[in-house]
C-alpha cells in the first residue's frame, strides 16, 4: 500500500476508464472531474436525486487522507454545498466516511480531511 501526496496529480493522470458515475449529464463526463479543468462532471438529474455518485478507481490500494473539490463556472456556476464520501478496497464493501462541507462558489477549492486515514482503492462522492 502506498501513501500519495498531491492527490490531484494522481487523479489528473488516471485513465478515463478509472472514472465512473451513477449517471451523467450529456457533455459532462465523469473523467472531467479534475481540479482546474476546462470541463466538469455533472449528474444527469442535478440536485433532484440525492443518490447520484461519482467514483474514482485509483488503480491500487492507497492511503486516503482527504480530498479536494471545486465547482465549475460554466452556465452561471455549479458547485456542491455538501458531499458524502464512501471508500472501498474491493468495490463490494463500502465504508461511510461522512458528510463534508462543500464549496461556497464555482471557483474555490475546498480541502476536506477524513477523520482518520483509510486504505482504499475506490472513492465515491
Amino acid at each position: 500500500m502506498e501513501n500519495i501526496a498531491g492527490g490531484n496529480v494522481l487523479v489528473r493522470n488516471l485513465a478515463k476508464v478509472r472514472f465512473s458515475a451513477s449517471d451523467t449529464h450529456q457533455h459532462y463526463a465523469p473523467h472531467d472531474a479534475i481540479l482546474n479543468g476546462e470541463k466538469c462532471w455533472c449528474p444527469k438529474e442535478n440536485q433532484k436525486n440525492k443518490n447520484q455518485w461519482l467514483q474514482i478507481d485509483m488503480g491500487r490500494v492507497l492511503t486516503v487522507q482527504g480530498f479536494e473539490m471545486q465547482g465549475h463556472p460554466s452556465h452561471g456556476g455549479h458547485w456542491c454545498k455538501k458531499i458524502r464520501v464512501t471508500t472501498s478496497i474491493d468495490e463490494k464493501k463500502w465504508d461511510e466516511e461522512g458528510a463534508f462541507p462543500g464549496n461556497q462558489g464555482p471557483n474555490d477549492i475546498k480541502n476536506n480531511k477524513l477523520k482518520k486515514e483509510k486504505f482504499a482503492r475506490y472513492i465515491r462522492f
Side-chain angles (χ1 to χ4, degrees):
M1 296 190 214
E2 203 173 330
N3 187 342
I4 302 281
N8 194 45
V9 173
L10 171 74
V11 171
R12 187 172 293 282
N13 291 316
L14 288 174
K16 290 179 180 182
V17 297
R18 299 272 184 208
F19 296 82
S20 59
S22 55
D23 63 15
T24 299
H25 194 283
Q26 188 178 8
H27 307 298
Y28 296 92
H31 64 265
D32 290 325
I34 306 273
L35 290 180
N36 298 311
E38 292 181 25
K39 293 181 165 186
C40 63
W41 170 71
C42 184
K44 187 173 186 176
E45 297 183 54
N46 296 336
Q47 306 92 325
K48 296 175 190 170
N49 182 345
K50 302 291 184 195
N51 294 314
Q52 299 173 106
W53 47 262
L54 169 71
Q55 179 176 304
I56 300 173
D57 172 0
M58 296 179 288
R60 61 193 182 281
V61 175
L62 301 170
T63 303
V64 178
Q65 298 173 333
F67 62 95
E68 292 178 311
M69 56 190 274
Q70 180 181 32
H72 199 269
S74 62
H75 304 287
H78 302 279
W79 63 93
C80 293
K81 294 179 181 176
K82 185 176 180 182
I83 191 165
R84 288 185 328 232
V85 176
T86 56
T87 58
S88 177
I89 289 177
D90 59 9
E91 207 175 12
K92 294 175 185 156
K93 179 182 177 285
W94 290 90
D95 295 323
E96 182 72 40
E97 303 304 332
F100 295 84
N103 302 90
Q104 298 196 12
N107 298 312
D108 68 308
I109 295 175
K110 176 69 176 157
N111 187 314
N112 284 300
K113 300 284 184 202
L114 300 183
K115 290 179 180 132
K116 67 180 213 176
E117 293 181 343
K118 288 293 297 234
F119 290 124
R121 175 175 173 171
Y122 305 92
I123 187 163
R124 191 177 278 182
F125 304 94

